[in-house]
Amino acid sequence: MAFADNLPISESLGVFIGITGFDWLSEGQAEPLKAAVAAVAAGAIIAVARHWLRKRHKD
């Protein structure tokens, strides 16, 4: 399986849109930099968890 198949792109995009939308609704303006940082962090956590679970399941 290729590395690109395991990237959580849709999950990261969902986190980005969710945080941006929440900021826009609650504060009246969106902070895309804060949302992008949170989305990348969430994507990294998901990718590491998927790798760890797959490795653990194979053993």
Side-chain angles (χ1 to χ4, degrees):
M1 199 174 254
F3 177 72
D5 292 340
N6 297 320
L7 291 178
I9 294 174
S10 59
E11 293 91 341
S12 298
L13 185 60
V15 170
F16 176 78
I17 291 172
I19 291 174
T20 305
F22 182 78
D23 281 348
W24 197 345
L25 288 173
S26 65
E27 298 174 6
Q29 64 183 10
E31 295 182 31
L33 183 61
K34 180 177 81 170
V37 169
V40 168
I45 291 170
I46 293 169
V48 168
R50 284 181 181 172
H51 177 73
W52 180 72
L53 289 172
R54 188 177 326 105
K55 193 173 188 179
R56 191 175 135 218
H57 184 61
K58 285 182 181 179
D59 292 340

